[in-house]
Amino acid sequence: MLFFVIRRFGNMALIMVLVSLAVFLLLELTPGSVATKVLGPYSSEEQRRLWLEAHGYMEPLWTRYGSWLVNFVQGEFGQSIRFKVPVSDVLWPRLWNTTILGFWTFAIMIPVSLTLGVLAGMREGGLLDRAISQISVITTSIPEFASAVLFSSIFVFGLKWLPGTSTMSDGFDPLQLLLPVMVLVVYDFGYVTRMTRASMAEVMTTPYIRTAVLKGLPYRRVILRHALRNALIAPFTIIMLQINWLLSGVIVVEFAFAYKGFGALLLEAALNQDIYVIEACAMVAVFVAAATQTLADIGYTYLNPRIRFK
Amino acid sequence: MSNKHNGGCHPYIPELREQLRCGKIDRREFLGTATRLGVSAAAAYAMAGSVFAPGAAFAAETPRKGGNLRVSMNVKEMTDPATYDWSEKGNLARHMTEPLVRINKDNVAEGYLAESWNASEDLKTWTFKLRKGVKWSNGDDFGADDVVSNFKRWLDPATGSSNQGRFSAMTEKVDTGKKDKDGKPVMSTVGTEGAVEKIDDNTVRFHLNRADLSLPESMGDYPALIVHRRFDDEGGDLSKNPVGTGPFALKEYTVGEKAVLARRNDASWWGGDVYLDKITYIDHGDDPSAQLAAFASGQIDANFRTNIEQVDVMKNIPDLVNYEAVTAQCGVARMKITEAPFDNKNLRKAIQACIDQEKILRIVYLGRGAPGEDHHVAPVHPEYFKLPRIKQDYDLAKKYLADAGHAGGIKIRIDCVANPTWEQNACKALAEMLKPAGIDLAINIMPGGTYWDRWLTTPFGMTSWTHRPLGVQVLNLAYRSGVSWNETSYANPEFDALLDEAGTLLDANGRRKLMEKIEMVLQDDAIMHQSSWRSIFTTAHKRVRGIYCQVAEEHHYNKVWLAG
């Protein structure tokens, strides 16, 4: 197991280096544009040249990449071109905001989707199953940008119950979190519900469940003691993958509700070619992807004793 | 001859008054020219006999003190005003650091930190009297040393300020002693020695290499906010060391999120009463619908900009008021005449003959503005001369196209930014209008950052130009031979000579006669298609009083108040 974890994190480090190199090459091959971003489109050629010299951009690409990598390992992610502050000053607060959003999304979405999935899978083809399945398919089919507009028109413009944006400019306000969480939960719960339902339905057809039922065990006991643990193995992996999805999924939601999180930061950085912010965001995304995958694999071994890593 | 020989008033002022009296010039033109020549805005308004002094609309109402004005606007970095390249940055800083001159809502330059100014008759020597009794927030007195220090920074190429171009009449090229890779000497543009002279603590004189009619207007542009004389020594970062002369102080600032400015109570402001307790700028990102939702749920009181598509939508939200400014802002589909196929005048004329300006204005900008005439001088400019527009004529377009050697049609491409959307819509309308003549226009839509990397080099691009108070200012920046923002690479000695002459004429009528020729030269050379002038809009809740939409999207909130 230890060897497996070490290997996984080794792979993760390698992927991060490769991704960082790719992003660096793509964005830094045009050093002139960096000076234009900083000094503005109306700066003169001479002004841009002087700025590039003063900030080390005339050094060879490999030297610049090497020093960036060394600094990155030491926790210095460089200076944001757009914000003119260290990247870490912007990145960590934004990541924390997205963590809050993600936490509440998962805190609502996981119990809801697991419960609905189990209820639907318990009696495949029943009325409840059909109703839950239909709702799941419909909600998952509506993209976040559409549901964001829909919910805004109902709760902000129509009923006037909720604030329209989530900038938290006067400090944390749970009300401002409602719409973004609602959009993410509605989009994602259907998918996890369907996966849980499929897994539950499969378990319910296995011989050991049939035996338990025929043995005369109460149905409640059959579900809670025998079916549930095995039925939750597949959804566990799916849920771990949702953390990855969330990192990119929040882009639309954060943009729509002006929530100052990681997704909005990544989008703004990409549109403004804010190289070091994009680099740092890419590293965070790769880290989260690899880490959740590793955690999912480790968790899987506990849930499914038949699987062992060598 | 300096105007001190004329009782402190420029010799042209009496004639100007006479022209106003006879109806030869309008009020706006009078105000603009008089203030440019050093008459204070208040005096100019009085001379014009106007009852509409700034803010007069709410004069009957007693302003109420207190309140927090919440404004939706991108909160960008605000390190150094000299390098600002967005109006939003200027707005964040303007209530702390102030300019020498301010462009008011009538497009007129009025004295701000500079109380008055006067110019020699050849417009090469300008003397600015600074306002007395102005204090910096650190307790220092504001004075000539601050102004000299700011100009020194601006004209230094290492600062990277666009003010170097704005005040190019005070710069010269010098040999750095270095050689480039081709062995040619590397030249540098630096401030001319002695161009900025301190006369006394409250007087600064500018010695220009050439006449510059627009010096006061240039001082009103947003990168020309005056910082303290020790700005660089104290870190060179306004957000970390917010020392200013304005009535507000920076209390909170998180780039990309919000900025809070609170009224200073340590000393009285030179401009008198200030009503708001706080101004809070909230960043809602680039999604216009987020701004709309913020208005609907009462999270903001005003915004930076209302996109044209949202003007009517805003009207549907109770208690919101739209404010409009007629401006010289426009999109210019400009062609680089040194690049094929746009080096062929017949091709450029063919494109010009396909365009129906009024239709483009109607489709793209819902008719809110004025149709253009392909010469980049706007009806709001005092020297504007109305030329007949080139009419859409496909037969003529096909003839030009055949003369250009493309009888069978041609494929071309235009670069444009994704946002604001009216720019790409203008390109789409252009493409549709070019089709019947056999011109296939592909549109390359890109993020703003990418377009601004290539705006000077792309063969065909849609560039958005901001408002400038004078027509000659724009022409000098964009179309004079060899200037750095000449995106078309236009080089016409006749045009340059006419522009030189126009730059020495204070008389708006005389300048207008010359502008007729200048505009005709540009229109005939067909280097750009400038189909419309756009009005700009902002929106505010009706309780916000004294607010207006300024032509360059500047926020002037020092006299704004919130009704109960």
Side-chain angles (χ1 to χ4, degrees):
Chain A
M1 173 61 80
L2 183 65
F3 178 70
F4 165 75
V5 174
I6 291 171
R7 205 176 59 187
R8 264 297 162 89
F9 277 91
N11 278 344
M12 186 170 80
L14 183 65
I15 293 168
M16 285 174 77
V17 170
L18 290 175
V19 170
S20 73
L21 185 61
V23 176
F24 203 88
L25 285 174
L26 281 173
L27 296 171
E28 283 241 334
L29 282 175
T30 52
S33 67
V34 179
T36 314
K37 297 285 173 310
V38 176
L39 299 178
Y42 307 125
S43 52
S44 71
E45 190 62 40
E46 183 194 4
Q47 289 170 330
R48 289 196 287 271
R49 182 176 51 77
L50 289 172
W51 187 90
L52 289 171
E53 280 172 5
H55 292 81
Y57 277 85
M58 294 306 194
E59 298 290 318
L61 181 72
W62 295 111
T63 313
R64 279 186 289 130
Y65 176 70
S67 60
W68 173 80
L69 198 60
V70 169
N71 288 335
F72 189 87
V73 171
Q74 294 170 345
E76 290 171 23
F77 303 158
Q79 185 92 355
S80 160
I81 291 167
R82 182 162 180 251
F83 298 130
K84 289 191 180 170
V85 293
V87 171
S88 50
D89 286 6
V90 191
L91 180 67
W92 298 125
R94 295 293 191 102
L95 203 55
W96 175 242
N97 288 345
T98 295
T99 308
I100 294 171
L101 182 61
F103 173 80
W104 286 109
T105 303
F106 276 63
I108 296 166
M109 190 263 289
I110 293 172
V112 168
S113 50
L114 289 183
T115 308
L116 291 177
V118 167
L119 286 174
M122 270 164 44
R123 295 196 196 282
E124 198 180 0
L127 185 65
L128 193 62
D129 177 29
R130 276 183 287 157
I132 290 171
S133 294
Q134 287 302 321
I135 292 170
S136 301
V137 169
I138 290 168
T139 55
T140 310
S141 309
I142 303 172
E144 296 113 306
F145 62 82
S147 52
V149 173
L150 184 69
F151 291 153
S152 286
S153 62
I154 296 171
F155 297 107
V156 179
F157 294 96
L159 301 170
K160 300 187 190 303
W161 286 353
L162 294 175
T165 58
S166 312
T167 53
M168 309 285 172
S169 55
D170 291 324
F172 184 75
D173 176 7
L175 268 185
Q176 292 188 21
L177 210 56
L178 275 179
L179 276 176
V181 168
M182 207 187 289
V183 170
L184 287 169
V185 168
V186 165
Y187 180 71
D188 203 32
F189 94 91
Y191 180 62
V192 181
T193 300
R194 296 276 295 167
M195 287 297 160
T196 311
R197 177 204 165 273
S199 178
M200 186 71 184
E202 192 187 338
V203 168
M204 293 303 286
T205 59
T206 53
Y208 79 93
I209 295 292
R210 191 182 58 198
T211 307
V213 172
L214 292 175
K215 215 165 65 174
L217 280 180
Y219 195 64
R220 182 188 164 88
R221 193 179 161 91
V222 172
I223 297 294
L224 293 177
R225 289 290 298 273
H226 298 281
L228 213 52
R229 178 171 169 168
N230 285 337
L232 290 182
I233 295 174
F236 173 74
T237 314
I238 299 295
I239 289 166
M240 292 307 283
L241 286 174
Q242 296 313 296
I243 297 174
N244 270 336
W245 162 80
L246 196 71
L247 269 189
S248 55
V250 289
I251 292 178
V252 173
V253 172
E254 289 182 354
F255 182 67
F257 295 107
Y259 187 76
K260 299 299 169 185
F262 177 80
L265 179 69
L266 182 56
L267 179 70
E268 290 160 8
L271 289 175
N272 291 281
Q273 282 180 276
D274 198 345
I275 295 165
Y276 294 127
V277 175
I278 299 174
E279 284 277 12
C281 289
M283 294 300 97
V284 167
V286 172
F287 177 81
V288 170
T292 50
Q293 201 65 49
T294 306
L295 284 174
D297 288 345
I298 295 168
Y300 211 74
T301 61
Y302 286 103
L303 288 170
N304 189 349
R306 287 174 298 181
I307 293 175
R308 286 288 175 268
F309 294 103
K310 288 179 182 171
Chain B
M1 185 176 76
S2 159
N3 65 19
K4 69 184 170 188
H5 302 296
N6 291 279
C9 186
H10 195 280
Y12 186 62
I13 294 295
E15 190 184 327
L16 200 64
R17 290 180 71 171
E18 187 57 21
Q19 286 181 7
L20 177 68
R21 197 184 63 77
C22 301
K24 288 182 181 170
I25 57 172
D26 63 17
R27 176 180 155 275
R28 183 196 288 267
E29 213 170 284
F30 173 82
L31 292 172
T33 311
T35 50
R36 203 169 303 121
L37 295 175
V39 177
S40 72
Y45 275 102
M47 282 182 194
S50 171
V51 292
F52 299 108
F58 295 99
E61 204 175 341
T62 307
R64 182 177 155 269
K65 271 206 167 190
N68 174 18
L69 179 71
R70 300 158 304 163
V71 185
S72 174
M73 185 182 80
N74 286 157
V75 177
K76 295 178 182 283
E77 66 82 21
M78 54 182 296
T79 314
D80 181 358
T83 58
Y84 287 178
D85 52 353
W86 292 88
S87 306
E88 291 95 319
K89 296 182 183 181
N91 285 337
L92 282 177
R94 186 170 296 102
H95 301 97
M96 290 189 291
T97 53
E98 301 175 304
L100 291 172
V101 173
R102 192 171 80 162
I103 309 300
N104 71 12
K105 68 171 180 172
D106 285 330
N107 193 32
V108 171
E110 61 182 21
Y112 219 60
L113 288 180
E115 202 166 36
S116 62
W117 55 87
N118 57 56
S120 62
E121 278 189 74
D122 66 358
L123 299 179
K124 284 186 172 177
T125 307
W126 292 75
T127 306
F128 278 66
K129 282 277 178 200
L130 307 180
R131 202 173 287 280
K132 288 179 182 164
V134 176
K135 289 267 186 196
W136 289 98
S137 53
N138 64 4
D140 290 346
D141 285 324
F142 163 76
D145 288 334
D146 294 301
V147 177
V148 172
S149 142
N150 274 270
F151 270 86
K152 202 174 159 192
R153 297 183 74 237
W154 296 343
L155 302 181
D156 180 351
T159 306
S161 173
S162 58
N163 287 335
Q164 201 198 46
R166 209 163 270 118
F167 302 109
S168 59
M170 287 182 254
T171 63
E172 61 190 10
K173 284 204 180 291
V174 294
D175 191 339
T176 58
K178 295 177 190 167
K179 303 277 182 198
D180 67 10
K181 57 181 187 232
D182 301 324
K184 290 179 186 162
V186 174
M187 304 299 284
S188 177
T189 304
V190 297
T192 307
E193 191 66 36
V196 185
E197 181 191 4
K198 173 184 172 181
I199 303 295
D200 59 43
D201 281 350
N202 295 98
T203 313
V204 180
R205 185 164 292 151
F206 300 96
H207 303 278
L208 278 49
N209 301 326
R210 57 176 165 79
D212 183 4
L213 183 68
S214 57
L215 189 72
E217 278 79 5
S218 297
M219 289 183 184
D221 225 340
Y222 59 81
L225 294 167
I226 299 291
V227 294
H228 190 274
R229 53 190 172 272
R230 290 194 302 275
F231 179 75
D232 281 330
D233 300 336
E234 291 173 355
D237 186 341
L238 190 67
S239 66
K240 292 189 178 128
N241 186 30
V243 177
T245 54
F248 288 89
L250 188 66
K251 287 293 169 202
E252 274 182 65
Y253 173 69
T254 310
V255 65
E257 295 185 24
K258 76 165 177 175
V260 180
L261 296 149
R263 190 177 64 224
R264 277 171 56 193
N265 292 316
D266 53 334
S268 59
W269 180 52
W270 61 264
D273 285 338
V274 178
Y275 308 113
L276 295 169
D277 284 340
K278 282 200 291 185
I279 303 168
T280 302
Y281 283 107
I282 305 166
D283 192 326
H284 286 100
D286 296 328
D287 182 7
S289 57
Q291 207 177 78
L292 193 67
F295 265 127
S297 50
Q299 291 177 299
I300 52 171
D301 305 301
N303 66 352
F304 168 67
R305 178 187 296 151
T306 300
N307 285 349
I308 187 68
E309 301 89 353
Q310 290 195 310
V311 171
D312 290 329
V313 183
M314 291 289 186
K315 283 182 188 165
N316 292 329
I317 298 179
D319 301 331
L320 293 188
V321 181
N322 284 325
Y323 294 89
E324 178 179 1
V326 179
T327 74
Q329 294 199 24
C330 63
V332 177
R334 99 293 178 283
M335 289 163 277
K336 198 153 194 74
I337 62 169
T338 50
E339 300 268 342
F342 304 106
D343 52 350
N344 188 324
K345 187 175 170 180
N346 281 320
L347 175 78
R348 303 198 302 264
K349 299 280 274 183
I351 295 172
Q352 193 178 41
C354 293
I355 295 164
D356 180 339
Q357 287 93 344
E358 282 193 37
K359 205 169 181 180
I360 287 194
L361 177 67
R362 213 165 46 244
I363 294 170
V364 175
Y365 219 66
L366 308 176
R368 289 185 161 108
E373 292 153 9
D374 297 343
H375 52 63
H376 211 158
V377 181
V380 292
H381 287 140
E383 63 269 67
Y384 167 75
F385 182 91
K386 186 168 175 55
L387 283 189
R389 284 197 300 276
I390 306 288
K391 299 279 180 206
Q392 189 180 52
D393 184 341
Y394 284 117
D395 291 336
L396 188 63
K398 284 175 184 164
K399 183 187 167 300
Y400 278 131
L401 204 57
D403 290 347
H406 302 288
I410 185 173
K411 285 187 176 183
I412 51 176
R413 193 182 78 166
I414 188 165
D415 289 338
C416 81
V417 295
N419 273 308
T421 46
W422 66 262
E423 290 188 40
Q424 49 169 299
N425 290 342
C427 289
K428 287 171 190 165
L430 198 63
E432 289 304 315
M433 286 182 183
L434 294 181
K435 258 183 206 166
I439 302 171
D440 183 2
L441 178 69
I443 304 166
N444 183 25
I445 300 170
M446 54 183 69
T450 310
Y451 181 77
W452 291 112
D453 280 343
R454 63 179 74 179
W455 76 287
L456 288 169
T457 52
T458 181
F460 195 16
M462 171 67 78
T463 301
S464 170
W465 280 81
T466 191
H467 173 93
R468 287 190 171 76
L470 304 180
V472 286
Q473 269 182 296
V474 187
L475 301 185
N476 270 315
L477 281 171
Y479 307 104
R480 181 183 280 282
S481 305
V483 292
S484 55
W485 294 359
N486 186 338
E487 53 180 345
T488 56
S489 295
Y490 187 57
N492 182 343
E494 183 201 355
F495 171 80
D496 292 345
L498 287 167
L499 204 53
D500 283 342
E501 197 183 338
T504 61
L505 293 177
L506 281 170
D507 173 12
N509 282 329
R511 204 158 74 240
R512 188 174 299 118
K513 281 176 198 153
L514 214 54
M515 289 309 281
E516 179 185 2
K517 289 186 199 166
I518 290 173
E519 291 172 12
M520 280 174 76
V521 169
L522 278 178
Q523 194 186 55
D524 181 59
D525 280 338
I527 58 175
M528 67 178 130
H529 302 295
Q530 187 254 313
S531 52
S532 54
W533 300 104
R534 40 185 214 104
S535 286
I536 56 166
F537 299 86
T538 57
T539 304
H541 193 278
K542 68 178 184 185
R543 69 173 161 267
V544 183
R545 302 297 170 84
I547 201 166
Y548 51 82
C549 184
Q550 195 263 3
V551 286
E553 300 186 301
E554 288 187 3
H555 288 172
H556 299 163
Y557 293 156
N558 292 344
K559 295 290 177 187
V560 165
W561 76 95
L562 297 173

